[in-house]
Each structure stands twice: as structure tokens, then as C-alpha cells.
Amino acid sequence: MKIQDTIAAASSSLWRNKGRTILTIVAIFIGAFTISITTGITIGVNDYINKQVANVGRKDQLSIMKKVEQNQVKDQPKKYEANQSAADDYLMQTVDTKKITAVKGLTDIEENQAFQADYIQSHGAKYELSAGSAAGMNVDLKAGRQVSATSTAFEIVLAPQYVKSLGFASAKQALKQTVKLAATSKATKKQTVVKATIVGVRNKSIINNGESIVNPALADKLVAINQAGMPAATQNEFYGLTARVKHPTKANIQKIKERLAKKGYTATTFEDELGSLHSTINAVTGVLTLFGAIALLAASFGIINTLYMSVQDRTREIGLMKAMGMGGSKVFLIFSVEALLIGLWGATFGVMAAFGAGKLINRVATHSFIKGLDGLQLIQFSWPATFAIIAVIMLIAFLAGTLPAKRAARLDPIEALRYE
């Protein structure tokens, strides 16, 4: 019997009891649909996170902080030391920069000086400003360009919510416009106003959302204003550095992390931060996928039941086929193909339904609960993942069908022909 004849015979036999077959396919359909949707959510959200984090920093960049040993005695609090706060443990100074500069394999080391701006102003209106330095940043832009890391001119990339508030009709209209930024000395309380040019407007993002980006020259100016009048010993204090790895292989980055650890520093990459985000998303969608797996488990018992009933209903027919010379392997193959067809139909319909539901959910989500998260497609499907889902479900169906298929293959033709 040729393979096409086997498939035709299995397909014909499968639909003899339509009700039983359809119910089994529906069970597989539910599992395939659930797993496809959760896999689509995993792909969609992780893809969005990848894009956002990729926009924030380079793979060759390390964020370096002082390593602080935690109190090992859990039931005993740390003793108080006069003129010493917990935050002081993390403070770094120029001597730390020199130590890190001596670490082999690092370049472009920059101190992350913290600054605070009072407000941003244009067309008379003043608004509180949340801004950060551009060290290692390469944000997702709606219009314009990134701030220059080398220019001495003061530049700023605006967060999107400031565009209309500052009196600009659109992001493009805001480009090359001048805004005023005010900062105050922590020591003298004197407020100083500086002017900066808008060179870009960023898209909304889950990463540093709401924060505008200033170039190093402007950051240094704001830091100088904040620290004016402060003791010289405190003016050069900061909480971290950024550095670029010359040869950013995983092995090399790990070696540099170990070298820094020996000197009392911790280092993380943007990929490290990305991994924690992925783990969170995968944990949530993994729980949802479990429900699909439970549905498939139930469906596998349905396949066993369907094929066992089919063997019982066709006992005489099986006996006749074997009496006419059909071998046990051929009988086993027919029933195995029936199981595969049940898995194929259920998986295909489930995946197709998930594709349709995914488009609908994305359309609704874009205009409701994820509105404003530009570039986020909540549910995405990939052909490799889709084919993998179908293949796995067919494998489960095949394995579920082996027991009744073996029973059919082992039937004694004489006894089977006597069966009523």
C-alpha cells in the first residue's frame, strides 16, 4: 500500500464517527490556540523590549558601580556611624576612576555625574524637567538626531510630552528651536539659566519614559551649577561610571567583570538588564502556556479514546485486512496516520484561529491599553515557532495513538473475524 493510499484510508476511517473525531479535534484546537497566543505574546513583548533596550545602550558598554558588601548577619542591623549614610557607601571619586582606567580592556570611561534641572521653558511656559545624560544612550527618535557626544554646544532631545506643552505644533517644528533650562546651586541656592538647542524628539518608551536626554557638554554645565559653592571634596563625587569594552565578546566581558570585582566594583551590561526583563515576561507567559499544555494533555486522552473506539468498531475489518495479507506494521501505520491527522487538523485550526485573534487583539490593544507605546505589537507570530507548535502537537498525537495502533496491529485475524 502506497503512502498516499494509507493517508486516504486513514482519513476516510477517521470521519466514520464525525462527532467523536470533531470533539477530539476541538480539544487539540483549544490547546493549540492557547499555546499560539501565549507564544505570540512572548515574541511580541520580548521583541519590543529588545528594540527599546537596544535603543538605550550598546552591547559593548558596561555600567560600573562600587561594590558594597551587605551585612551578613541577617538578624543584626548595621551599626550607625556618625556622618555616614548608607548612600555614602556607593559614592565614587576620582581615585575610583583611576583604578578602573587601569583595568585592561576598557576604553571611553565616563563618570556619571548626577544633575538636577529646575525647569525647561519656551514661549513663556515653564515645566519641571526630568533629564539624563547621553552617556551610552541612543534613544528611539520620532524626529531629529541624537545629541552629540563631542559638541561643546548645549543640546537636548525632548521627551514627547514636552512638545505641545512648550508651544510646538509637532516634533519636527520643535527641531532647532531654543529652550531655557534653569538649575540651582545646592550650596548657595542661586539659580542659573542656560540655553539649549532641541536636536531631536524621542518616541514614547517603557525605558526611561518621560526623560529628556542632554549631551555631555550640557550635563557638565548643569552639574557645575548644582555644585557651585560646595566643598571641593564633594564636587567630584558620583555613583557610577560607564565604559566601553574594546573587544566585546561574552568571554572577554566576563573576564573584565572579574577584574573589576577584584578591585571592589560591580559591572553590568545592557544585555544583563535585558535578560531580567525577558525572564519576567517568559515567566508570565509560561504560566499561560501551561494551560494550553493541560488542554493538550486532555486531548491526548481523547485521541487514545477515539482510536480505541475505532479499533473496537473496526475489529472485523482489521481481521479481514490481515487475512488478505496486510501486515501488522501496515495496520499500525494506518492508525498512526489517523492520530497524526487528528493532531494536524486540531493544530492547524488552532494556529489559524490564533492568527485571526492576534490581529483583532493587536488592533484593540493599540487603541486602548497599550496606546502610546509606539512600536509595540502585542502579539507577533513567527513561522518557525508556528511550525514548531504544529510539529509538537502532531508528535503528541502520534504518541497518544501508539497504544491503540499497537492493539490493532496485534489483533489475531481469526479472532477478529469472529468478533461481533
Side-chain angles (χ1 to χ4, degrees), residues 113-116 183 218-228 235:
Q113 297 278 8
F115 61 85
Q116 184 175 356
L218 180 53
D220 290 342
K221 179 63 177 178
L222 294 173
V223 168
I225 294 172
N226 290 155
Q227 295 183 350
Q235 287 190 7

Side-chain angles (χ1 to χ4, degrees), residues 247-267:
H247 304 289
T249 63
K250 287 187 177 181
N252 198 31
I253 289 174
Q254 184 58 37
K255 287 181 182 178
I256 291 174
K257 286 181 179 180
E258 292 171 359
R259 290 172 193 160
L260 288 168
K262 290 179 181 178
K263 291 179 177 288
Y265 305 99
T266 60

Side-chain angles (χ1 to χ4, degrees), residues 34-35 38-39 42 284-294:
T34 304
I35 292 176
T38 54
T39 301
T42 303
V284 173
T285 54
V287 173
L288 297 176
T289 303
L290 181 62
F291 289 103
I294 292 172

Side-chain angles (χ1 to χ4, degrees), residues 27-43 285-297 347 350-351 354 379-381 385-386 388-390 392-393 396:
I28 295 175
F29 167 90
I30 293 171
F33 177 83
T34 304
I35 292 176
S36 296
I37 288 292
T38 54
T39 301
I41 293 173
T42 303
I43 294 172
T285 54
V287 173
L288 297 176
T289 303
L290 181 62
F291 289 103
I294 292 172
L296 287 178
L297 179 62
V351 167
I379 301 176
Q380 292 185 35
F381 299 100
T386 298
I389 290 171
I390 294 175
V392 169
I393 291 175
I396 292 171

Side-chain angles (χ1 to χ4, degrees), residues 50-69:
N50 282 335
K51 289 177 180 176
Q52 295 303 317
V53 177
N55 286 329
V56 173
R58 303 185 303 260
K59 290 182 179 180
D60 62 351
Q61 184 169 301
L62 287 177
S63 177
I64 304 169
M65 297 181 67
K66 204 169 186 178
K67 186 178 181 180
V68 177
E69 296 295 336

